[in-house]
Amino acid sequence: MIHPDSDTLEKFFDRELSDEQNVSVERHVAICSECRDFLVGSQMTRTLLESSPLPTQSESFVHSVMEKVRDSEHQRFAFQIRNFLNSGDSRPAVSRLPLFSSASLCFEVTRLQLQTRCSPIVR
Amino acid sequence: MNPRNSPHHEPDPGPQRAAIDRYVKLVQSGEMNAYTEIVRHFEAPIRGFCTHILNDPAAGEDAAQETFLKAYRTIRSFRGESSFSSWLFRIARNTCIDILRKQKRESTKAQRHSLYEEGRSEGSASQRLEAQEQLSLLLQALSPVHREILLLREYHHMNYDEISSVLQCSIDAVKGRLKRARQEAQEYLRHLHENENVVQREETL
């Protein structure tokens, strides 16, 4: 009896064969206990791994990630604004403003002003 | 790839992927809130993946959070050359590898070895392991390279192409690695079951 090579058996197990190849291996496996044993062994591992359910959906996880994302965004804006203020760019400040959305700019400028207690920072 | 709540993990249907691609484009254009939907869609599979790779739910949750944060920070570099899911799993995998390396530096292999030995040693009724315990022991016993490829294939049901994209290796490398991983897993499970049978026989005597 000619057995399919191990690569073909692996692909058969992983449903990566063409329909035609699939039928041919299926026929062989039906009458070959050696190849069947190979598949049964692989199936044991698969069954065990599939037995573990996915974690349940967690809204608190989503909230926690989004909170960190927002913090990270604020830090990025703060960094950009600091660069903006220290850039030494000779253009008037107002021409550089479109770099930021107006809401985030107002928020960050106010926050930085409060933090550093400096005089108005938009030069 | 698809989050699943059923024990059978079906591949991601096209419309869902299209919706994800839309959210990705929104985030790339600055709509931070669209990222909520992406996190909601992928959080369970990514948490599951990280938890299994690290074999620790708390560490898995931290790694998953870090994954989503890294993905957000670099989402503009995502060009759609692979699916977003593969891209995200790649980040999760790299995050877990970093954590494992750190753990390896901090501790010896003793702990892993002792768990493996626990699974092999002669012993008690507790060796009649439930599936979850068996899975945990198996994951612990497998090398990280074999653990990740088995999880991607058998738990997350990715095809060879998707796996090669996550692991950034050729399809041939995927096939070879998967084959060796299965051999390692089967050998370990066989050993575990043999031990179980020995214990059962001893208890009946």
Side-chain angles (χ1 to χ4, degrees):
Chain A
M1 187 187 301
I2 302 166
H3 301 280
D5 60 38
S6 60
D7 264 12
T8 308
L9 268 184
E10 289 270 338
K11 281 187 179 173
F12 172 75
F13 183 67
D14 288 330
R15 301 176 199 100
E16 297 268 350
L17 290 177
S18 68
D19 289 348
E20 199 183 326
Q21 289 172 312
N22 209 46
V23 170
S24 146
V25 177
E26 227 165 41
R27 278 191 195 136
H28 173 83
V29 168
I31 54 163
C32 175
S33 58
E34 203 178 314
C35 291
R36 228 173 16 246
D37 284 350
F38 168 84
L39 295 172
V40 167
S42 300
Q43 186 59 44
M44 263 171 62
T45 312
R46 176 172 286 172
T47 306
L48 186 59
L49 281 156
E50 283 181 338
S51 70
S52 173
L54 261 193
T56 47
Q57 297 261 326
S58 161
E59 267 310 296
S60 70
F61 178 89
V62 177
H63 286 304
S64 168
V65 169
M66 289 312 293
E67 217 164 276
K68 285 183 177 165
V69 164
R70 281 183 200 102
D71 282 352
S72 154
E73 274 295 271
H74 288 157
Q75 281 167 19
R76 191 170 68 85
F77 279 128
F79 178 75
Q80 284 183 337
I81 289 169
R82 279 193 197 101
N83 275 357
F84 163 78
L85 294 172
N86 299 326
S87 65
D89 192 333
S90 56
R91 286 178 297 154
V94 72
S95 69
R96 289 176 275 150
L97 289 181
L99 282 170
F100 314 100
S101 77
S102 54
S104 58
L105 179 72
C106 289
F107 175 80
E108 284 306 326
V109 167
T110 312
R111 200 171 65 82
L112 283 173
Q113 277 180 329
L114 287 171
Q115 253 181 15
T116 56
R117 296 183 183 181
C118 65
S119 54
I121 55 180
V122 177
R123 291 172 289 182
Chain B
M1 224 297 312
N2 190 28
R4 38 141 224 203
N5 292 313
S6 70
H8 302 290
H9 328 163
E10 296 303 326
D12 201 3
Q16 248 176 355
R17 185 168 167 175
I20 289 299
D21 288 345
R22 272 200 305 279
Y23 286 125
V24 170
K25 285 202 170 72
L26 281 171
V27 179
Q28 285 176 327
S29 66
E31 288 289 333
M32 182 175 66
N33 288 333
Y35 197 60
T36 312
E37 291 309 316
I38 294 177
V39 178
R40 196 168 281 140
H41 186 85
F42 287 107
E43 59 99 9
I46 291 290
R47 272 195 299 135
F49 179 71
C50 294
T51 298
H52 282 130
I53 290 282
L54 300 172
N55 213 8
D56 176 348
E61 180 132 347
D62 289 348
Q65 290 215 4
E66 207 176 320
T67 297
F68 283 111
L69 203 57
K70 279 183 190 167
Y72 179 79
R73 285 176 183 150
T74 53
I75 200 163
R76 284 188 174 88
S77 70
F78 174 70
R79 302 264 172 264
E81 285 146 3
S82 61
S83 68
F84 183 77
S85 162
S86 302
W87 185 77
L88 194 59
F89 268 86
R90 192 152 69 226
I91 296 175
R93 183 230 178 193
N94 291 338
T95 304
C96 290
I97 286 177
D98 287 346
I99 293 170
L100 286 173
R101 280 189 187 137
K102 202 174 160 197
Q103 282 175 356
K104 202 176 172 184
R105 278 200 300 271
E106 285 168 2
S107 68
T108 62
K109 284 182 177 171
Q111 197 185 356
R112 179 180 158 188
H113 188 70
S114 72
L115 267 168
Y116 182 69
E117 286 302 312
E118 197 180 301
R120 302 164 53 132
S121 65
E122 54 189 316
S124 65
S126 68
Q127 275 187 310
R128 269 172 282 155
L129 299 162
E130 295 296 325
Q132 286 308 300
E133 289 172 305
Q134 280 189 25
L135 178 60
S136 177
L137 280 173
L138 171 66
L139 294 174
Q140 198 76 33
L142 288 172
S143 64
V145 172
H146 289 168
R147 195 187 310 163
E148 69 183 5
I149 201 161
L150 273 181
L151 284 169
L152 293 173
R153 175 63 210 153
E154 310 294 23
Y155 187 69
H156 295 282
H157 285 199
M158 289 188 182
N159 60 33
Y160 292 172
D161 201 34
E162 287 170 313
I163 296 173
S164 83
S165 169
V166 173
L167 303 182
Q168 294 192 289
C169 62
S170 67
I171 301 266
D172 280 345
V174 168
K175 285 192 275 188
R177 228 181 269 181
L178 197 51
K179 192 173 169 179
R180 288 190 293 278
R182 281 181 175 142
Q183 281 166 354
E184 193 188 349
Q186 280 177 40
E187 203 175 299
Y188 181 78
L189 288 176
R190 206 174 297 127
H191 199 93
L192 211 57
H193 291 149
E194 277 168 14
N195 272 332
E196 240 184 300
N197 292 337
V198 168
V199 173
Q200 276 174 342
R201 275 201 300 277
E202 281 173 358
E203 282 181 358
T204 29
L205 285 174

